[in-house]
């Protein structure tokens, strides 16, 4: 109804963009419906449709707009929410925006007029901004004065971030309290006070200014209307619910969580909160993965992983679900939204695989964290309080959440120094911010209102001029960014690296070190400014690197088509990297490719290369028409109404692509796969080389074979000769192992076992010929004792080696890897392993005695020998 209403009022409906923000360095995610239109608002892109309507998923989990910690605690905040928005770009005024808002809410949705309250901007002396009397006068046509409230900048001046478009806003609130409460306490005192039932549902932003780096406000080229209504809150109001989680947006998910956990939503406040968190978070994670951002170690991927782990933590702590379960909710979500977001249905299996893989990894993290808590040294617990730094290290190093540490501590009769934890966390944040902070100066306009264009598909050298420039300062120092009237430089995008090259001016040649696309502008980074700034400049792209990158990009298209032909249509691109030296292609596929499959893929690509297929480039194809042609679109990429289509044989490879390509496949010369690896659950990576680098790769392999043949005296059958050598080596190894096994058995017989109740302990420093002997001795004793803990150490050369084994009967109370983590530093090393067995090596043999003593301290036992 929202979309239809505004279409009837001459608005163009536009599809949502991916929530992972790739064109704004200041944002990880789309956090407001206006993000996709920032280039229009700033005047960087021409206005094609002055009126638009959209439904945009948004993610508010980082930066200025961060609702993560409120999710689950209250009943109306969410990480991911859908924003219903209507837009005017220099077209209609506040009056029209307010009139349509009133008509939709009261005429179409039939909301009671006497329950609606609105707010307007009260003005701000610091910014020199007046009271928004115009908005107040518009609302006065529909509401009594008591329902029109004014608030300061905090509530009624909308800003996307520290810099960028902003303006006064007018919020629409609604009172959904029971009638008796309404009569007892007027809503006028509850608006903007955090009351769960007197809430904002729609914000009308009157975008008038641009906030500069200095904090100064300057007028935008044109004034715009930007509105956003929360779909979930609107559903709550229309369905007569008191919580967004009670609507049909979330209840199917909550009902599935009830079924999985065996618990009821309203069983307790803690259980209800946990189910709200999980139901909310699975939406955010699924949408992010579908839009091309799986959980990862840094940036946007780290935030997605944090959201998912937060959901898993609540399931573990409050619902007592110890294994993977969140992946089971994806099917429920997909069934709800597939008609509006078909990409979730298309990628359902992949999303489930990724989430399940993350859940399995987190289960191991929980097990290790539990053991680490069980193995705390006395100095880490002060009068029943676990030090904040210890809790932070559990969180920072091992991913163990503070809430879970506090829960386990409570079960042990302990508490956690929360203040100390927060101090350690803030110190880390300050360090990270210091490393990551990037400050952008304001754009200095040399040629205002000058349109810019990219000509790099046709030209590599052009004479042009600088339209605007600014400074950029980060840990690398200060540099400069330029926007050129005409540029041949391809900006990084679609997996292809940016062009490199030079800018020539009167003061000589300046290297272009980076080229990025930022909201419709192609931004060139240089170490110094050309002079004079107003004069003409000649810009030259490095032709050799551009051609090499184009070769690899075309090869990537051929590779994707070949993979689909060999493995099936389920193959979907999950990322790529195209440089002048190599190509990397990530794709969805559940299993390892066989040697035969890899050879077949290579053969198909090289056949297409030899066929010298001409590149068919279509630059302005309507998106719908391109999809009818069968063009492959990449999930997570933003496409306009018109797209560029690259075809290499219409029956083989047709893709939407903005990158550079060779004129015909023959220019690639040769394609050679150099590796395939798994990079995540259900995602594989192929790396390959082309042209002269493929020749060099194969020549090097042949040189290796020639050298091996020479070492083996040029046998007639090289493979058979190597097989014979391997067989002989294996026989000799077996003989050696037999001698060593006898020696190790004799060493093992000389060791003594200590007894602590029904637990047997084998803790010794031993003299062995090699490190693996410790493992062999440990497993000998494991076979003899049902409940045994083994800690063995040896001094080998200048190194110390320690082995820990925990028998199955002692798991999970004792965790070998976690214990090893605490004692490995004593020998100057790091440990690794599994819950039942772990090893460590270090360069401090003098610490062996202390390490074994620390292992013994785990049991805090009196010394007694069997």
């Amino acid at each position: 109804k929202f979309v239809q209403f505004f279409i009837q009022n001459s608005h163009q409906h536009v599809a949502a963009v991916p929530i992972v923000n790739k064109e704004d360095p200041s944002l990880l995610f789309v956090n407001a419906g206006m993000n996709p239109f920032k280039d229009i608002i700033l005047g960087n892109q021409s206005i094609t449709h002055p009126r638009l309507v959209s439904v945009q998923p948004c993610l508010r989990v980082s930066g200025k707009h961060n609702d993560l910690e409120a999710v689950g605690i209250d009943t109306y905040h969410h990480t991911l929410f859908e924003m219903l928005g209507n837009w005017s770009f220099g077209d209609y005024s506040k009056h029209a925006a307010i009139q349509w808002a009133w008509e939709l809410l009261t005429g179409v949705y039939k909301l009671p007029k006497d329950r609606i309250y609105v707010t307007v901007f009260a003005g701000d002396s610091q910014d020199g901004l007046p009271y928004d009397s115009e908005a107040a006068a518009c609302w006065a046509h529909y509401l009594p004065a008591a329902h029109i409230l004014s608030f300061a900048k905090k509530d009624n001046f909308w800003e996307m971030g520290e810099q960028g478009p902003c303006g006064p806003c007018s919020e629409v609130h609604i009172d959904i309290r029971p009638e008796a409460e309404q009569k007892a306490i007027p809503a006028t005192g509850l608006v903007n006070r955090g009351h769960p039932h007197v809430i904002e549902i729609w914000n009308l932003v009157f975008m008038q200014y641009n906030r500069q780096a200095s904090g100064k406000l300057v007028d935008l080229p044109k004034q715009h209307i930007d509105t956003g209504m929360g779909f979930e809150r609107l559903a709550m109001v229309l369905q007569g619910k008191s919580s967004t989680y009670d609507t049909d947006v979330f209840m199917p998910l909550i009902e599935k969580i009830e079924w999985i956990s065996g618990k009821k939503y309203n069983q307790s406040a803690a259980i209800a909160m946990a189910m709200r968190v999980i139901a909310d978070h699975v939406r955010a994670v699924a949408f992010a993965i579908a839009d091309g951002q799986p959980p990862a170690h840094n940036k946007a991927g780290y935030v997605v992983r944090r959201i998912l782990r937060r959901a898993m933590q609540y399931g573990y702590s409050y619902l007592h679900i110890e294994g993977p379960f969140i992946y089971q909710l994806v099917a429920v979500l997909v069934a709800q939204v597939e008609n509006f977001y078909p990409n979730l249905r298309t990628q359902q299996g992949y999303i489930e695989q990724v989430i399940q893989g993350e859940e399995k990894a987190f289960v191991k993290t929980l097990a290790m964290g539990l053991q680490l808590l069980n193995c705390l040294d006395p100095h880490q617990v002060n009068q029943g309080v676990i030090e904040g730094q210890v809790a932070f290290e559990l969180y920072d190093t091992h991913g163990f959440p503070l809430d879970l540490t506090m829960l386990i501590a409570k079960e042990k009769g302990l508490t956690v120094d929360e203040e100390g934890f927060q101090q350690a966390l803030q110190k880390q944040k300050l360090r990270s911010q210091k490393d990551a902070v990037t400050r952008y100066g304001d754009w200095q306009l040399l040629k205002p209102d000058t349109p810019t264009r990219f000509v790099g598909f046709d030209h590599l050298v052009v004479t042009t001029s600088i339209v605007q420039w600014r400074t950029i300062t980060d840990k690398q120092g200060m540099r400069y960014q330029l926007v050129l009237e005409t540029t041949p430089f391809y900006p990084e995008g679609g997996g292809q690296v940016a062009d490199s090259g030079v800018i020539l001016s009167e003061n000589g040649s300046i290297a272009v070190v980076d080229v990025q696309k930022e909201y419709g502008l192609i931004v060139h980074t240089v170490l110094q400014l050309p002079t004079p700034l107003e004069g003409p400049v000649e810009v030259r792209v490095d032709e050799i690197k551009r051609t090499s990158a184009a070769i690899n990009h075309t090869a990537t298209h051929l590779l994707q088509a070949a993979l689909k032909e060999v493995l099936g249509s389920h193959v979907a691109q999950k990322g790529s990297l195209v440089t002048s030296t190599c190509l990397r292609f990530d794709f969805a596929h559940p299993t390892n490719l066989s040697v035969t499959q890899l050879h077949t893929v290579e053969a198909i690509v090289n056949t297409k290369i030899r066929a010298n297929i001409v590149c068919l480039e279509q630059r302005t194809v309507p998106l719908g028409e391109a999809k009818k042609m069968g063009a492959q679109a990449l999930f997570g990429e933003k496409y306009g109404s018109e797209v560029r289509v690259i075809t290499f044989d219409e029956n083989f490879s047709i893709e939407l692509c903005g990158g550079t390509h060779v004129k015909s496949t023959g220019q690639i010369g040769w394609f050679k796969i150099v590796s395939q690896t798994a990079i995540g659950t259900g995602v594989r990576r192929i790396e390959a080389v082309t042209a002269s680098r493929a020749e060099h790769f194969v020549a090097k392999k042949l040189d290796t074979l020639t050298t091996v043949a020479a070492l083996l005296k040029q046998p007639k059958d090289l493979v058979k000769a190597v097989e014979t050598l391997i067989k002989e080596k294996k026989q000799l190894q077996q003989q050696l192992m037999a001698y060593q096994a006898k020696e190790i058995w004799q060493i093992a017989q000389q060791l003594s076992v200590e007894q602590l109740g029904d637990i047997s302990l084998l803790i010794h420093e031993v003299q062995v010929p090699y490190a693996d002997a410790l493992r062999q001795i440990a497993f000998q004793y494991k076979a003899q004792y049902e409940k045994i803990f083994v800690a063995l150490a040896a001094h080998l050369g200048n190194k110390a080696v320690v082995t820990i084994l925990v028998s199955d009967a002692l798991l999970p109370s004792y965790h070998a890897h976690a214990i090893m983590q605490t004692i490995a530093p004593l020998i100057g090393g790091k440990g690794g392993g599994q819950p039942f067995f772990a090893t460590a090596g270090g360069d401090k043999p003098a610490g062996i005695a202390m390490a074994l003593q620390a292992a013994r301290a785990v049991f805090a036992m009196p010394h007694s020998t069997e």
Side-chain angles (χ1 to χ4, degrees), residues 62-83:
S62 61
K64 180 179 178 181
H65 299 284
N66 186 347
D67 293 336
L68 180 60
E69 299 305 326
V71 171
I73 296 174
D74 65 26
T75 57
Y76 57 92
H77 274 102
H78 304 286
T79 51
L80 179 128
F81 63 96
E82 294 176 76
M83 185 170 280

Side-chain angles (χ1 to χ4, degrees), residues 473-768:
T473 307
D474 56 21
K475 60 182 179 180
Q476 298 177 41
M478 190 174 79
R479 290 159 291 149
Y480 302 90
Q481 293 187 322
L482 315 174
V483 175
L484 304 174
E485 185 173 355
T486 304
T487 181
F489 281 91
Y490 177 80
E492 180 181 338
Q496 183 174 334
V497 295
D499 280 335
S500 58
V502 295
I503 296 177
L504 302 174
S505 67
E506 290 183 14
N507 68 351
S509 176
I510 298 171
V512 176
V513 297
D514 191 25
V515 188
Q516 297 289 331
K517 192 172 185 182
E518 183 180 318
Y519 281 112
L521 296 176
I522 295 178
V523 180
H524 311 71
T525 301
V526 294
L527 300 180
Q528 65 184 88
L529 288 174
T531 55
L533 281 167
E534 294 80 4
V537 291
E538 182 176 276
V539 291
R540 297 179 181 176
V541 172
D542 186 320
E543 185 174 1
I544 295 175
K545 288 187 177 180
R546 160 68 82 85
T547 301
S548 297
I551 284 172
N552 285 329
H553 201 148
T554 298
T556 303
H557 280 220
L558 302 183
L559 170 61
Q560 180 175 11
L563 286 169
K564 284 181 176 289
E565 194 169 298
V566 173
L567 303 178
S569 58
H570 68 277
V571 170
Q573 181 176 339
K574 294 300 172 186
S576 67
L577 175 65
V578 175
T579 73
S580 60
T581 59
C582 64
L583 67 91
R584 190 177 76 199
F585 185 74
D586 303 337
F587 59 100
H589 186 64
T591 59
N592 191 37
L593 274 69
S594 68
V595 173
T596 300
Q597 287 174 322
L598 288 173
H599 286 168
T600 304
V601 169
E602 269 189 354
I604 292 172
V605 173
N606 282 311
T607 297
K608 298 299 180 182
I609 290 171
R610 289 190 294 273
N612 199 27
I613 302 168
V614 174
C615 172
L616 173 60
E617 177 195 22
Q618 299 164 275
R619 293 189 186 174
T620 54
V621 181
L623 181 59
E625 184 180 324
K627 289 182 177 180
K628 288 179 182 178
M629 293 165 56
Q632 296 292 318
L634 178 61
F635 291 116
E637 289 296 323
K638 175 184 173 182
Y639 297 103
S641 58
E642 291 186 335
V643 294
R644 181 169 173 258
V645 179
I646 297 295
T647 303
F648 292 99
D649 181 351
E650 62 182 13
N651 295 317
F652 184 66
S653 172
I654 308 177
E655 293 191 39
L656 305 182
C657 182
T660 65
H661 290 275
V662 293
K663 295 185 182 300
S664 61
T665 59
Q667 288 181 256
I668 299 172
W670 194 12
F671 172 85
K672 182 66 184 172
I673 294 174
V674 299
S675 70
Q676 71 146 335
T677 53
I679 62 166
T681 306
V683 181
R684 303 205 64 79
R685 170 173 291 170
I686 282 180
E687 296 186 60
V689 287
T690 59
S692 61
R693 291 187 180 273
E695 293 175 7
H696 176 74
F697 175 81
V698 173
K700 192 173 180 180
K701 294 293 185 184
L702 289 174
D703 287 345
T704 301
L705 286 176
T706 301
T707 302
V708 172
L711 290 171
L712 296 178
K713 309 301 183 185
Q714 302 296 342
K716 291 182 179 179
D717 189 334
L718 181 59
V719 173
K720 187 175 181 180
V722 173
E723 287 175 344
T724 301
L725 271 179
I726 293 172
K727 184 178 180 181
E728 291 174 356
K729 181 188 176 187
K730 187 175 181 180
Q731 290 172 345
L732 290 171
Q733 284 178 326
Q734 288 173 344
Q735 293 175 13
L736 178 61
M737 288 171 64
Y739 290 125
Q740 290 176 336
K742 184 177 180 181
E743 180 185 2
I744 293 166
W745 182 84
Q746 291 173 343
I747 294 170
Q749 297 309 301
Q750 300 171 16
L751 303 179
S752 58
V753 175
E754 306 170 61
Q755 205 68 33
L756 178 66
D758 62 345
I759 299 176
S760 302
L761 305 178
L762 183 69
I763 303 176
H764 284 280
E765 180 179 359
V766 294
Q767 292 183 347
V768 290

